């Protein structure tokens, strides 16, 4: 079963010439073919980890985002995971507007896939309330979603992963209950799921899932990494798939030295045609060499230059960051281990900001400049209320990453920064982000969890936060100014400029922005603080622009009696 890690180039400009697309991955052979939006393209087999495909000028004539997969003929083959290829104008930066949807008290992990085979990305959401279920939000292709379709999950789905586990051409889900149970939910290609198989794995909980063919038989297997409440041990195990959606054989587990665990980097790091695992482990990555039957040798440890901050959820991915034909490991810290092609690695720096980051993160070209970027959710430091941000670290020609660009999120405690998923939800050639966090609104002290959709757009509001310090109740501060910049080469329409507040109106806002903001220009928004009561007062300045996405900036101050 093929697995793809990376596309080179990662994007193209609309109206460009035909080009050769290099696909880096695993499980390729001379019968493998590259598919562009479900249609085959002329493919050349280069190596078991590399294919080349001819992409015509007509494929990139218009702004869009293509879905790229690899099909290897059976037996021993199948269709790979999807990687997205944006066709868009390049930009030196990015801007996102956030919209919150699907507020529920008990939603957890999300995953993006095309669950109804219409070519538009959809979102699956794990819901642990009684009865446990998965919610499927079918994408309409314009950045909006249908009301959720609800399917029983049998067990509380604290985590889930998507893939075609029964090889019928429809995307299925595998879920875990955060204890020792795993359930398979078979998709019907319309967005509905039926529980098929339920198994007890072992005592690992708090798992991170990954689907891949670890024993080379053409069926997807389950990697589950986690820890145990009983022994406090950490590590992972492999459950081998039968190709029908069941995973009856669970192989012995593998432990970690430092007692940490996270989302794995899975790939053939030593070029022997077998999948290996790079498992995050505190200040290092534990490398497990695969034996080809789903088992692994004892780990070898490689130190990272930028370790994970204490308390982090750890994650890593397998990519060829320096394009030397050898798989590397990039962590969510962000730290880089360059692969030597033999299962060993050389630390190559990183750009961490020292904050807790989502273990499942995006690696794709977000600004269309031809270099992959990192997208993560973080525990920010703006305030005690608004402490979630989404950050994008733009990639450079040498494989390094620039300092992060931040976008305002909601309130999110540590357990909420679980993952970001990247896809183009409105087919404008610009990749968007979805992240699950928590609403500022609460009922009986419990905050509702929401899905935050960050649509990429033209409007960037700076700074991310305006801070006013202490201000006596009943008096007004001098105004501070936020700048709204149109980062695109086209005019953008400003629909609304408003303040979102919970409780009394402590802030006043005056916009100096026109109805239509010309390309590459900036306008100003003045905000003053007039506290109506004592204590910390906060609000959000919200500017809604084209496509309904909203650029946001935090305003905060403290009301005092003096």
């Amino acid at each position: 079963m093929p697995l793809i890690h990376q596309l080179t180039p990662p994007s193209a400009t609309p109206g460009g010439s035909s080009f050769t697309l290099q696909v880096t991955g695993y499980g390729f052979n001379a019968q493998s073919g590259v598919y562009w939006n479900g249609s085959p393209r002329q493919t050349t087999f280069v190596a078991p980890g590399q294919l080349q495909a001819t992409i015509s000028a007509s494929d990139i004539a218009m702004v869009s985002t293509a879905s790229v997969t690899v099909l290897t003929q059976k037996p021993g083959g199948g269709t790979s995971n999807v990687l997205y290829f944006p066709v868009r104008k390049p930009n030196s930066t990015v801007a996102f507007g956030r919209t919150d949807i699907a507020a529920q008290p008990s939603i957890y992990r999300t995953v993006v896939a095309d669950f109804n085979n219409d070519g538009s990305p959809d979102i699956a959401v794990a819901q642990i309330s009684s009865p446990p279920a998965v919610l499927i939000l079918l994408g309409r292709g314009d950045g909006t979603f249908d009301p959720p379709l609800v399917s029983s999950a049998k067990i509380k789905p604290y985590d889930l992963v998507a893939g075609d586990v029964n090889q019928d051409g429809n995307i299925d889900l595998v879920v875990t209950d955060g204890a020792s149970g795993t359930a398979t939910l078979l998709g019907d290609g319309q967005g509905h799921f039926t529980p098929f198989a339920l198994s007890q794995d072992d005592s690992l909980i708090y798992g991170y899932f990954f689907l891949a063919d670890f024993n080379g038989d053409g069926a997807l297997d389950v990697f589950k990494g986690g820890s145990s409440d009983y022994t406090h041990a950490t590590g992972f195990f492999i459950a081998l798939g039968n190709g029908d959606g069941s995973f009856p054989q669970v192989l012995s587990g593998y432990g970690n030295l430092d007692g940490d665990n996270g989302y794995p980097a899975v790939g053939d790091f030593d070029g022997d045609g077998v999948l290996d695992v790079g498992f995050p482990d505190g200040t290092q990555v534990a490398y497990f060499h695969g034996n080809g039957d789903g088992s692994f040798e004892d780990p070898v440890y490689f130190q990272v230059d930028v370790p994970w901050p204490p308390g982090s959820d750890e994650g890593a991915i397998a990519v060829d960051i320096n394009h030397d034909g050898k798989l590397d490991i990039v962590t969510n810290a962000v730290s880089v281990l360059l692969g030597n092609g033999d299962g060993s690695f050389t630390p190559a720096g990183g750009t961490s900001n020292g904050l807790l980051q989502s273990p499942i993160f995006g690696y794709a070209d977000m600004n269309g400049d031809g270099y992959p970027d990192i997208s993560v959710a973080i525990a920010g430091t703006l305030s005690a209320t608004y402490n979630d941000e989404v950050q994008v670290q733009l990639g450079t020609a040498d494989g390094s990453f620039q300092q992060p660009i931040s976008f305002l999120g909601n309130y999110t405690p540590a357990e909420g920064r679980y993952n970001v998923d990247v896809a183009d939800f409105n087919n404008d050639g610009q990749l968007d982000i979805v992240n699950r966090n928590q609403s500022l609104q609460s009922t009986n002290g419990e905050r509702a969890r929401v899905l935050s959709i960050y649509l990429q757009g033209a409007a960037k509001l700076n700074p991310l936060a305006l801070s006013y310090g202490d201000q006596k109740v009943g008096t007004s501060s001098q105004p501070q100014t936020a700048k709204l910049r149109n980062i695109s080469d086209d005019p953008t329409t400003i629909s609304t400029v408003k303040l979102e507040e919970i409780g009394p109106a402590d802030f006043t806002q005056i916009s100096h922005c026109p109805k239509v903001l010309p390309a590459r220009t900036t306008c100003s928004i003045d905000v003053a603080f007039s506290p109506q009561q004592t204590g910390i007062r906060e609000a959000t300045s919200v500017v809604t622009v084209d496509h309904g996405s909203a650029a946001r900036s935090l305003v905060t101050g403290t009301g005092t009696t003096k």
Side-chain angles (χ1 to χ4, degrees):
M1 181 73 72
L3 172 69
I4 55 178
H5 303 300
Q6 186 173 344
L7 306 175
T8 306
S11 64
T13 302
S17 303
S18 62
F19 66 96
T20 299
L21 178 68
Q22 179 174 299
V23 181
T24 300
Y26 159 82
F28 305 155
N29 60 35
Q31 283 71 51
S32 298
V34 174
Y35 280 66
W36 182 274
N37 291 328
S39 297
R41 293 297 178 264
Q42 181 180 337
T43 303
T44 301
F45 171 72
V46 178
Q50 188 178 125
L51 299 173
Q52 292 182 346
T54 300
I55 306 302
S56 68
S58 62
D59 288 329
I60 59 169
M62 305 292 291
V63 166
S64 63
T65 296
S67 298
V68 178
T69 54
V70 169
L71 172 64
T72 298
Q73 297 299 321
K74 299 177 182 179
T79 300
S80 74
N81 56 308
V82 173
L83 289 187
Y84 295 111
F85 187 95
V87 181
R88 54 160 294 172
K89 293 180 180 179
N91 205 324
S92 61
T93 188
V94 289
F96 290 88
R98 194 190 87 225
T99 302
D100 299 328
I101 61 173
Q104 300 283 344
S106 57
I107 60 175
Y108 272 74
R109 171 86 160 87
T110 63
V111 67
V112 170
D114 183 5
F115 294 110
N116 62 344
N117 298 315
D118 68 348
S120 295
D122 312 310
I123 304 173
V125 187
Q127 178 175 276
I128 65 167
S129 59
S130 183
V134 291
L135 310 179
I136 304 298
L137 284 73
L138 298 179
R140 296 168 176 161
D142 60 359
T144 65
F145 299 83
D146 288 342
L149 301 175
V150 181
S151 294
S152 171
K154 282 293 186 183
I155 59 176
K156 290 184 176 181
Y158 282 93
D159 198 5
L160 77 168
V161 67
D164 184 6
V165 297
N166 65 344
Q167 302 178 26
D168 67 349
N170 299 319
I171 298 297
D172 312 305
L173 294 169
V174 181
V175 303
T176 181
D177 63 1
S180 58
T182 298
T184 302
L185 312 179
L186 298 182
D188 66 354
Q190 301 296 319
H192 302 279
F193 292 84
T194 301
F196 171 69
L198 178 65
S199 63
Q200 295 299 119
D201 306 315
D202 62 7
S203 59
L204 284 179
I205 67 171
Y206 310 125
Y208 293 98
F209 272 8
F210 195 99
L211 292 179
D213 183 5
F214 289 98
N215 63 346
D217 66 351
L220 287 174
D221 310 309
V222 172
F223 168 103
K224 184 179 179 183
S227 60
S228 169
D229 267 353
Y230 307 104
T231 65
H232 302 290
T234 62
F236 69 91
F237 64 84
I238 303 295
L240 297 180
N242 272 353
D244 61 358
S246 64
F247 301 90
Q249 184 179 359
V250 179
L251 304 183
S252 298
Y254 298 87
N256 256 7
L257 180 66
D258 281 356
D260 292 316
N261 71 93
Y263 191 74
V266 175
D268 181 9
F269 294 103
D270 56 5
D272 66 350
V274 174
L275 285 177
D276 313 305
V277 170
F279 199 47
D281 194 24
T283 62
Q284 56 199 351
V285 169
Y287 170 72
F288 292 82
H289 170 76
N291 295 320
D293 59 358
S295 68
F296 297 85
E297 297 180 3
D298 290 338
V300 179
Y301 293 90
F302 297 92
Q303 294 291 321
V304 295
D305 283 336
V306 182
W308 287 271
S312 291
D313 291 318
E314 300 166 1
I317 56 173
V319 292
D320 182 6
I321 198 167
N322 59 349
H323 305 291
D324 64 352
K326 303 168 186 176
L327 275 185
D328 312 309
I329 293 176
V330 178
T331 75
N332 63 324
V334 175
S335 192
V336 176
L337 288 174
L338 294 179
N340 298 318
D342 59 0
S344 66
F345 300 87
T346 302
T351 57
S352 176
N353 55 19
L355 301 174
L356 304 183
Q357 305 196 29
S358 52
I360 302 172
F361 58 100
Y363 183 81
D365 187 1
M366 305 300 286
N367 64 332
D369 65 352
Y371 308 119
D373 313 309
I374 297 287
S375 303
V376 297
I378 71 160
T381 57
L382 294 177
S383 75
T385 303
Y386 294 83
N387 66 349
D388 179 70
E389 301 170 27
V390 162
Q391 290 188 340
V392 176
Q393 295 184 235
L394 298 177
T396 64
D398 63 3
S400 64
F401 298 93
Q402 301 177 37
Q403 289 301 307
I405 304 170
S406 295
F407 301 91
L408 188 65
N410 272 312
Y411 171 84
T412 305
E415 56 85 20
R417 294 178 306 278
Y418 206 75
N419 65 291
V420 300
D421 292 296
V422 172
D424 184 0
F425 294 114
N426 55 355
N427 199 34
D428 63 353
Q430 301 180 100
L431 293 175
D432 311 307
I433 294 171
V434 58
N435 175 39
R436 190 228 78 176
N437 52 37
Q438 296 201 40
S439 170
L440 298 179
Q441 304 285 354
S442 62
T443 302
N444 297 324
E446 182 178 5
R447 297 181 187 272
R449 293 176 173 90
V450 298
L451 293 185
S452 292
I453 309 296
Y454 295 80
L455 292 181
Q456 196 169 162
K460 179 77 167 69
L461 197 56
N462 285 311
L464 193 62
L466 298 175
S467 180
Y468 294 83
D470 293 344
Q471 185 72 32
K472 185 178 180 180
V473 171
T475 66
S476 295
S477 72
Q478 291 295 314
Q480 294 188 37
T481 300
K483 298 288 188 179
L484 182 71
R485 178 162 180 78
N486 179 1
I487 69 166
S488 77
D489 293 326
D490 300 304
T492 188
T493 301
I494 299 174
S495 302
T496 59
V497 180
K498 65 179 182 178
L499 282 169
E500 290 183 351
E501 300 185 72
I502 298 177
D506 297 298
F507 299 88
T508 56
Q509 179 171 267
I510 299 175
S511 172
H512 303 286
C513 293
K515 184 69 175 178
V516 177
L517 187 61
R520 304 290 177 179
T521 61
T522 300
C523 62
S524 63
I525 301 168
D526 294 333
V527 183
F529 180 38
S530 304
Q532 302 301 300
Q533 61 189 48
T534 59
I536 296 173
R537 318 303 302 159
E538 294 177 325
T540 308
S541 179
V542 182
V543 181
T544 306
V545 294
D546 293 333
H547 309 301
S549 62
R552 299 170 188 261
S553 182
L554 171 67
V555 291
T556 180
T558 301
T560 66
T561 58
K562 297 181 180 180

